[in-house]
């Protein structure tokens, strides 16, 4: 029920036509994990009566309502939340895809590669295989990808002997993509994105990377932005006890005020601004 209230609130703020708005008929909603599973549940169960536009959390309640209020009419209803295009956060999607890749390719390729890079003990191998450190896992993936590209050079040169094409970088990547396309395991990757209408695809592309700081090299999807916000909230929660709903509300409603005080105090004490995770700022627009 609480999730239904949240979805209706999003719907009204987005100006969805179903709830009296006049801006659009659907909207992207980004979430993952438990919320994503719960949404699919309420998508099937939440019903809107077509005659009185009254919502019901289950089909059974709708049927009871129809018998008592519209018994002389033909049953007519619709899913209340069919206006939602649920999108998994790209951050968690990336993490899960990386873990799946390591699990699938560990024995044939990655285990030996990790041994060559110093992951020799069982604990070290388990650390690498399960992608405990996402940034380190990305470095390992890039190493594997670079090595794979190098291995494809010989087949590429052999193909040039048949096609008489120039040995250019463009032709090499074209050959590499064609080789991947011949593998049926790659045929259904990004299938949903491929068949999106152009308007939906444009909306997707424009809403998958955001930068809270304004720095172009620090873009991320909404799920990771929300996690950073949760991290900021958690530092003000009292430790050693379960916070009450009132505590959550007080901190969430005054978070900006707390952060302003923290910044002013750091300025008075002469402390430098702490960068997120100690990362370097790189202006990619100048490269």
């Amino acid at each position: 029920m609480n999730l239904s209230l949240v979805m209706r609130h999003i719907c009204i703020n987005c100006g969805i036509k179903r709830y009296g708005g006049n801006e659009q008929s659907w909207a992207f909603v980004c979430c993952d994990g438990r919320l994503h599973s719960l949404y699919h549940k309420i998508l099937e169960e939440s019903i809107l009566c077509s005659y009185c536009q009254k919502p019901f959390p289950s089909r059974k309640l709708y049927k009871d309502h129809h018998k008592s209020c519209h018994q002389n009419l033909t049953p007519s209803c619709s899913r209340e939340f069919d206006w939602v295009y649920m999108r998994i956060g790209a951050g968690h999607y990336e993490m899960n895809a990386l873990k799946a890749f390591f699990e699938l390719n560990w024995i044939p390729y990655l285990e030996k590669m990790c041994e060559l890079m110093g992951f020799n003990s069982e604990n070290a191998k388990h650390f690498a295989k399960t992608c405990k450190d996402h940034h380190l896992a990305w470095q390992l993936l890039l190493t594997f990808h670079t090595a794979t590209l190098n291995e494809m050079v010989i087949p590429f040169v052999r193909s040039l002997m048949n096609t008489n094409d120039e040995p250019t970088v463009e032709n090499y990547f074209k050959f590499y993509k064609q080789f991947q396309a011949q593998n049926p395991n790659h045929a259904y990757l990004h299938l949903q994105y491929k068949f999106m209408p152009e308007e939906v695809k444009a909306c997707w592309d424009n809403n998958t990377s955001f930068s809270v700081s304004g720095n172009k090299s620090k873009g991320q999807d909404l799920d990771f932005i929300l996690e950073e916000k949760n991290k900021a909230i958690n530092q003000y929660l009292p430790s050693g006890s379960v916070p009450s709903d009132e505590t959550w509300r007080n901190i969430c409603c005054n978070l900006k005020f707390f952060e302003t005080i923290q910044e002013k105090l750091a300025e008075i004490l002469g402390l430098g601004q702490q960068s997120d995770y100690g990362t370097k700022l790189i202006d990619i627009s100048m490269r």
Side-chain angles (χ1 to χ4, degrees), residues 91-271:
H92 286 80
Y93 184 91
E94 177 183 285
M95 292 174 64
N96 291 331
L98 194 59
K99 290 179 180 178
F101 182 86
F102 268 69
E103 180 70 27
L104 180 65
N105 295 280
W106 181 253
I107 294 178
Y109 305 111
L110 294 174
E111 183 177 14
K112 186 62 178 179
M113 186 193 78
C114 289
E115 288 178 354
L116 294 173
M117 300 185 69
F119 295 86
N120 295 314
S121 68
E122 290 301 320
N123 288 337
K125 290 181 180 180
H126 183 265
F127 179 85
K129 180 181 179 181
T130 54
C131 304
K132 294 294 186 181
D133 187 320
H134 184 62
H135 299 284
L136 177 61
W138 257 110
Q139 292 297 321
L140 294 174
L141 178 65
L142 291 176
T143 302
F144 170 79
H145 186 59
T146 303
T148 305
L149 289 174
N150 291 335
E151 289 291 331
M152 293 296 296
V153 171
I154 294 179
F156 170 63
V157 173
R158 289 173 179 169
S159 70
L160 294 179
M161 298 172 65
N162 298 325
T163 61
N164 294 322
D165 291 334
E166 292 292 327
T168 62
V169 175
E170 291 77 11
N171 285 334
Y172 173 69
F173 281 109
K174 181 180 178 181
F175 167 80
Y176 185 72
K177 291 180 180 179
Q178 289 176 345
F179 178 83
Q180 280 191 318
Q182 294 173 1
N183 189 333
N185 293 329
H186 295 90
Y188 297 101
L189 291 177
H190 308 297
L191 188 62
Q192 184 186 50
Y193 181 83
K194 180 179 179 180
F195 289 101
M196 282 182 181
E198 291 302 321
E199 180 183 359
V200 179
K201 190 179 295 185
C203 183
W204 179 291
D205 292 339
N206 293 331
N207 294 278
T208 54
S209 181
F210 302 86
S211 176
V212 177
S213 64
N215 190 307
K216 294 182 179 180
S217 67
K218 301 180 69 175
Q220 53 193 338
D221 204 357
L222 294 172
D223 56 336
F224 274 19
I225 290 178
L226 181 60
E227 286 203 356
E228 287 193 3
K229 187 62 66 175
N230 286 335
K231 181 180 178 182
I233 293 172
N234 287 333
Q235 67 177 322
Y236 297 107
L237 292 174
S239 59
S241 61
V242 179
S244 63
D245 291 344
E246 183 179 2
T247 300
W248 277 103
R249 283 194 297 269
N250 290 337
I251 294 176
C252 292
C253 293
N254 296 282
L255 180 61
K256 186 62 179 178
F257 174 70
F258 294 151
E259 291 177 338
T260 302
I261 293 178
Q262 191 176 33
E263 292 174 1
K264 293 294 184 182
L265 182 61
E267 183 179 347
I268 293 173
L269 298 177
L271 302 177

Side-chain angles (χ1 to χ4, degrees), residues 66-110:
H66 182 79
K67 289 179 180 179
S68 61
C69 301
H70 312 294
Q71 57 182 347
N72 296 326
L73 300 174
T74 303
S76 178
C77 62
S78 61
R79 293 177 176 176
E80 182 181 2
F81 301 113
D82 59 357
W83 55 269
V84 176
Y85 195 124
M86 186 62 65
R87 183 169 65 82
I88 300 175
H92 286 80
Y93 184 91
E94 177 183 285
M95 292 174 64
N96 291 331
L98 194 59
K99 290 179 180 178
F101 182 86
F102 268 69
E103 180 70 27
L104 180 65
N105 295 280
W106 181 253
I107 294 178
Y109 305 111
L110 294 174

